[in-house]
Amino acid sequence: MLSKLVATTLVLMTLSLQVVAQSSYKITQYVHYEYQGETHYGVLSGDKITPLKEGLFPLSERTDTKLSLEDIRFLPPSDAGKVFAVGMNFASHMASASKAPPPMFLKLPSSLAGHGQIITVPGDAGNVHFEGELVLIIGTRAKDVSEQEAGDYIFGVSAGNDLTERSWQGSDLQWMRSKASDGFGPVGPSVVTGLDWNNLLLTTRLNGEIVQQENTRNMIHKPEKVVSYLSQYFTLEPGDMIFMGTPGRTSALNHGDEVSVEIEGVGLIANRIEWP
């Protein structure tokens, strides 16, 4: 049974997709989900999921089955082996030099969480902030690719929340605790193909109130540049994720807060934040 939070955000997600679908016929929304104790991939259309026969990489055929959203549990949209993130990618948040390499850090696959999942932060975390972000999902193995061809290696995009413990971020040698604790990477509810990832409106809401809103056209380091840069040092594999940085200001969260990140055409991911 879906919570009130998840049910409400699914309505908003469907409306967001309907608006963008009017201008593009290539848009497809893929989901990763649990159904009757097993994990599957499928295609989301309205409030129904059509399961795929196998997986996304390579993309498999659709079955003839239809599932209701009330019967599934959303998982992160891919089984990421590596999770990268860009820092200081919006001038409204904190700017980096546009001609310099993009400032990067790592999150852990174990930090990822799905749409509707309750995020229980570590008990000694005292200054956890939201960071709404566009997330890239790699679709093809990429190594030493140029910026001009990098877009061909991006399967699609999703919405994410790069939860960050600011005190640890300032005090620790690396950002491992502050950025990669369990649950610090909600992403989903889907990965969407056919969108112009350089022109999408990103909106973060805290308990229903808008706290961040900016178009991805204002990213300092574009997805093509980031994918090309990373591929010079790391072999990017299908399913790997790249969080693309947050705009505007962030603020500390409290027990029971509900955070949603909506990206035009993707829908939104929503999670409740709790302390043990």
Side-chain angles (χ1 to χ4, degrees):
M1 195 72 176
L2 291 175
S3 68
K4 182 178 179 181
L5 167 64
V6 178
T8 301
T9 55
L10 285 174
V11 172
L12 292 173
M13 179 177 70
T14 302
L15 290 174
S16 177
L17 284 166
Q18 289 172 345
V19 169
V20 176
Q22 295 172 2
S23 61
S24 174
Y25 63 90
K26 297 181 181 179
I27 294 172
T28 306
Q29 188 177 30
Y30 297 96
V31 292
H32 188 202
Y33 61 93
E34 182 181 287
Y35 174 69
Q36 295 184 346
E38 297 183 349
T39 61
H40 304 272
Y41 288 94
V43 177
L44 178 62
S45 180
D47 61 351
K48 300 294 183 183
I49 293 175
T50 302
L52 298 178
K53 290 184 178 179
E54 295 184 30
L56 286 182
F57 313 111
L59 186 61
S60 60
E61 295 180 355
R62 305 182 190 191
T63 67
D64 295 326
T65 306
K66 299 290 184 183
L67 299 177
S68 172
L69 293 180
E70 286 76 13
D71 296 327
I72 65 96
R73 181 174 70 89
F74 282 104
L75 302 173
S78 68
D79 286 322
K82 296 183 288 295
V83 183
F84 301 94
V86 186
M88 300 179 287
N89 205 23
F90 285 86
S92 61
H93 179 69
M94 186 177 292
S96 57
S98 61
K99 294 184 179 180
M104 307 297 306
F105 59 91
L106 281 168
K107 296 176 74 71
L108 294 174
S110 56
S111 71
L112 301 178
H115 175 60
Q117 180 178 331
I118 295 175
I119 307 301
T120 302
V121 304
D124 58 341
N127 193 19
V128 179
H129 286 223
F130 57 81
E131 290 192 9
E133 306 195 7
L134 178 75
V135 180
L136 312 180
I137 310 291
I138 298 298
T140 306
R141 177 177 287 185
K143 181 62 178 174
D144 296 324
V145 303
S146 69
E147 192 169 330
Q148 290 68 36
E149 62 186 350
D152 295 336
Y153 294 84
I154 301 172
F155 178 78
V157 296
S158 191
N161 185 0
D162 178 23
L163 290 170
T164 304
E165 214 291 354
R166 290 280 185 243
S167 299
W168 297 345
Q169 187 178 22
S171 65
D172 291 2
L173 176 63
Q174 296 188 3
W175 291 357
M176 183 173 62
R177 268 200 314 167
S178 66
K179 292 282 192 177
S181 291
D182 289 351
F184 274 27
V187 59
S190 61
V191 51
V192 183
T193 62
L195 295 174
D196 178 4
W197 46 68
N198 285 309
N199 185 22
L200 298 172
L201 184 65
L202 185 157
T203 303
T204 306
R205 294 178 176 86
L206 175 59
N207 299 321
E209 298 294 326
I210 293 177
V211 289
Q212 291 178 304
Q213 189 168 68
E214 192 160 344
N215 195 290
T216 59
R217 73 169 67 96
N218 295 328
M219 291 184 294
I220 297 168
H221 307 284
K222 307 301 184 185
E224 294 84 356
K225 176 183 178 180
V226 172
V227 169
S228 174
Y229 172 76
L230 286 172
S231 77
Q232 309 308 310
Y233 307 96
F234 311 96
T235 301
L236 304 181
E237 300 286 356
D240 286 349
M241 297 184 184
I242 306 172
F243 283 67
M244 286 299 298
T246 197
R249 295 186 177 185
T250 69
S251 61
L253 297 168
N254 297 305
H255 179 82
D257 280 345
E258 294 176 352
V259 182
S260 68
V261 181
E262 180 179 11
I263 294 180
E264 179 184 9
V266 175
L268 61 84
I269 180 165
N271 302 88
R272 179 181 172 90
I273 311 300
E274 295 185 353
W275 268 255

